[in-house]
Amino acid sequence: MSTLARRDTRPEIALRSELHRRGLRYRVQVTVPGNRRSSTDEELHAAGWDVVRVWEHELPEHAGDLVEDAYRQRVPSRSPTDPGGGHPQG
């Protein structure tokens, strides 16, 4: 049982709520190994992912800052009158 991927843990729900409060939404589309090997980061970067490491003991506000900063660097901001609604197109 310990090898099964866990989801919707308290820290994950707290971070999701914090990001939701900020107007950011996300879905988990892949299972990411729960280890800290540098090769994991390299593999994710090679696949086009940005890696943001958040530990379960971090405050949701701080974790939200990390995720939002990474998102804002990747996605240019749009004006409120933009019909794209501030969401990336594609």
Side-chain angles (χ1 to χ4, degrees), residues 20-68:
H20 189 272
R21 186 184 66 73
R22 296 172 186 222
L24 299 172
R25 310 293 189 267
Y26 76 93
R27 327 179 255 235
V28 176
Q29 292 187 262
V30 296
T31 301
V32 178
N35 57 48
R36 294 185 278 173
R37 295 180 305 138
S38 62
S39 63
T40 300
D41 289 357
E42 293 166 9
E43 291 169 17
L44 289 168
H45 283 295
W49 292 89
D50 290 330
V51 177
V52 178
R53 210 165 289 282
V54 177
W55 302 105
E56 65 183 32
H57 63 272
E58 291 187 59
L59 294 175
E61 296 81 9
H62 179 254
D65 290 343
L66 295 173
V67 173
E68 184 174 12

Side-chain angles (χ1 to χ4, degrees), residues 65-84:
D65 290 343
L66 295 173
V67 173
E68 184 174 12
D69 289 347
Y71 174 78
R72 300 286 179 218
Q73 288 177 18
R74 181 123 179 167
V75 178
S77 44
R78 300 185 181 179
S79 70
T81 58
D82 184 349

